[in-house]
Amino acid sequence: HYHLLSTEFLTDEKQEQLAILHLLNQIIANKDKIRHPLCIHIPEIKFVCPDTSTGYTVFLAEQLKKKLATIRSIGRGICSIIGSQTYIGVNKEIINSATQLILGSLTPDDTEAIAEKLRWDTRKVKEIGELKRGEFICLQLRTETGDPIFEPLNAMIKPP
């Protein structure tokens, strides 16, 4: 069985964002009590942690980055999935704390920003540009050499 905690019914944007942070704090504080796998999904992170953070969102982005890193290091069946339909506009500290980046069809601006960040050659940029709806590329950002692994997502999902 599973439980779903949602911020859908919170009407205040600040309250919704701080509720996410509070939930992460409680997960970390009670990590020893977790008996089943836990998956945290935060859709459209760019609204929670925009790239041009001001005021409390600067604090929020820093705290979320720390909490997600802590959750990632706990292991033991806890994972997080953080989504956004765009790369540009998401706080780079949040993106840099990820272990995997799954890319679908991107705008030219997003492709250019990612290519510059990861120092892609033209072959990789062309491959991203040719993705069709429902096709994805998975980047493993944390590797022993520090270099991203670039491969089609379907190469990572293989039947048993």
Side-chain angles (χ1 to χ4, degrees):
H1 77 281
Y2 61 91
H3 301 280
L4 175 65
L5 304 174
S6 175
T7 59
E8 180 180 344
F9 300 106
L10 297 176
T11 56
D12 181 75
E13 182 178 305
K14 186 175 184 178
Q15 189 178 34
E16 177 183 352
Q17 294 166 343
L18 293 173
I20 293 169
L21 181 59
H22 179 71
L23 177 63
L24 295 178
N25 281 330
Q26 291 304 306
I27 290 169
I28 292 167
N30 295 290
K31 66 182 180 224
D32 295 331
K33 298 176 185 176
I34 297 172
R35 294 194 175 113
H36 302 285
L38 178 63
C39 180
I40 302 158
H41 177 237
I42 305 173
E44 289 304 331
I45 193 72
K46 71 179 177 187
F47 296 125
V48 180
C49 297
D51 195 25
T52 54
S53 297
T54 58
Y56 77 94
T57 59
V58 174
F59 165 79
L60 185 65
E62 181 63 29
Q63 289 301 307
L64 278 177
K65 180 185 79 162
K66 288 178 182 177
K67 302 307 175 200
L68 292 170
T70 301
I71 287 170
R72 188 177 64 238
S73 69
I74 291 171
R76 297 186 330 189
I78 303 175
C79 72
S80 59
I81 300 171
I82 298 165
S84 180
Q85 293 185 30
T86 61
Y87 179 84
I88 295 176
V90 178
N91 184 291
K92 299 308 178 252
E93 294 291 323
I94 298 295
I95 293 172
N96 292 339
S97 69
T99 53
Q100 288 187 340
L101 188 60
I102 299 173
L103 305 172
S105 181
L106 298 170
T107 66
D109 290 342
D110 281 336
T111 303
E112 184 178 320
I114 293 169
E116 183 179 315
K117 176 185 176 8
L118 299 176
R119 298 181 305 277
W120 281 353
D121 59 25
T122 54
R123 179 189 63 81
K124 290 178 184 176
V125 172
K126 183 179 178 190
E127 188 175 339
I128 287 288
E130 293 174 349
L131 288 175
K132 295 175 181 55
R133 185 178 201 152
E135 294 181 330
F136 300 91
I137 297 289
C138 184
L139 287 169
Q140 182 78 28
L141 298 177
R142 304 265 186 243
T143 61
E144 290 178 18
T145 64
D147 297 323
I149 298 171
F150 181 83
E151 59 186 320
L153 184 59
N154 63 2
M156 302 208 38
I157 301 173
K158 297 180 182 174

